[in-house]
Amino acid sequence: FHRQFLVNPDSRKFIAEANLRAFVPCGGFKDTINAENVRAFAAVFKELRVIVEGANVFFDDTAREVLAAETPIRQIRDSSANKGGVTSSSIAEVLTAFLLGEEYDKVLVRNAAARSDLIRAVFDLIARNAAAEARMLLALHARTKTPLYRLSVQTSEQLLALQERLYGSLDALLKRREIVEAVLRAYVPGALVERLGLA
């Protein structure tokens, strides 16, 4: 399916009938759409206006470049689109297990209300961050005409550079209680803050 249907001219009639405007690949093989087959893909999916790469680097960079230059499709790269998955696993599982320690099983496995509160709080955090990044990427795209997928890469690189700078200043930052509390309130789900406090 991944290697044939998406680029096969015989698939065009089905895609045209479906009038697909958005494509959200959330699995499959790395570089399924690549330099050799991207134009065939674009010919099959003529109605597409948005591609949101859910996971697994479905498009290679050459394919992204061709789509940006030769089609009206706006493409959000997986490095932006899949941050919700990263947030969910890192906050809902890793951070929660670290903060709750021995209480994890009691609080989240056996307490349906606490689990539901945490899930809701993580979804709210993901939605807020995703909306903020989408607004930023679309505003930058409108101003610079840089393809969205390139802006996504630049954003990720800038976030990693900022992270390195913050690590270099961590001792000084940790002494500023107002900064620490603001970061905790912004990024730790409220359900955990309420249960554990900020101390």
Side-chain angles (χ1 to χ4, degrees):
F1 177 82
H2 287 101
R3 300 284 186 216
Q4 299 300 320
F5 182 81
L6 301 175
V7 297
N8 185 338
D10 292 339
S11 303
R12 173 71 194 133
K13 60 185 170 206
F14 305 112
I15 302 302
E17 186 177 334
N19 191 28
L20 296 178
R21 314 284 285 174
F23 182 60
V24 185
C26 294
F29 302 105
K30 182 179 184 300
D31 301 338
T32 296
I33 305 302
N34 53 57
E36 282 134 32
N37 64 12
V38 64
R39 286 181 178 85
F41 171 83
V44 170
F45 287 85
K46 291 180 182 177
E47 293 80 14
L48 274 187
R49 292 300 172 261
V50 176
I51 295 173
V52 179
E53 296 181 50
N56 293 3
V57 194
F58 199 83
F59 293 82
D60 74 5
D61 282 338
T62 302
R64 291 184 189 106
E65 199 60 46
V66 168
L67 291 171
E70 299 178 12
T71 74
I73 298 169
R74 288 183 171 181
Q75 187 168 10
I76 302 291
R77 192 185 155 104
D78 54 346
S79 54
S80 288
N82 199 29
K83 282 188 177 133
V86 174
T87 300
S88 178
S89 59
S90 61
I91 290 181
E93 293 298 323
V94 178
L95 178 66
T96 304
F98 174 75
L99 291 176
L100 292 175
E102 303 271 329
E103 296 286 305
Y104 181 88
D105 192 54
K106 177 181 159 192
V107 172
L108 291 180
V109 176
R110 289 183 265 161
N111 185 334
R115 184 174 54 249
S116 179
D117 287 346
L118 177 67
I119 291 168
R120 190 174 302 108
V122 170
F123 281 160
D124 289 347
L125 178 64
I126 290 169
R128 186 175 70 235
N129 290 343
E133 184 165 345
R135 281 192 302 271
M136 178 201 65
L137 290 173
L138 291 170
L140 285 170
H141 174 69
R143 195 174 77 232
T144 67
K145 303 303 180 218
T146 303
L148 288 167
Y149 85 87
R150 269 198 237 145
L151 292 170
S152 179
V153 171
Q154 292 169 8
T155 299
S156 294
E157 290 169 351
Q158 290 176 358
L159 286 171
L160 290 172
L162 175 61
Q163 181 178 315
E164 287 302 314
R165 287 183 61 201
L166 291 174
Y167 279 145
S169 305
L170 196 55
D171 289 337
L173 290 170
L174 288 174
K175 291 175 184 169
R176 305 270 312 270
R177 184 162 178 83
E178 72 281 4
I179 291 175
V180 173
E181 286 190 9
V183 169
L184 290 174
R185 288 192 189 283
Y187 295 101
V188 174
L192 286 177
V193 172
E194 286 173 22
R195 179 168 290 276
L196 300 170
L198 292 174

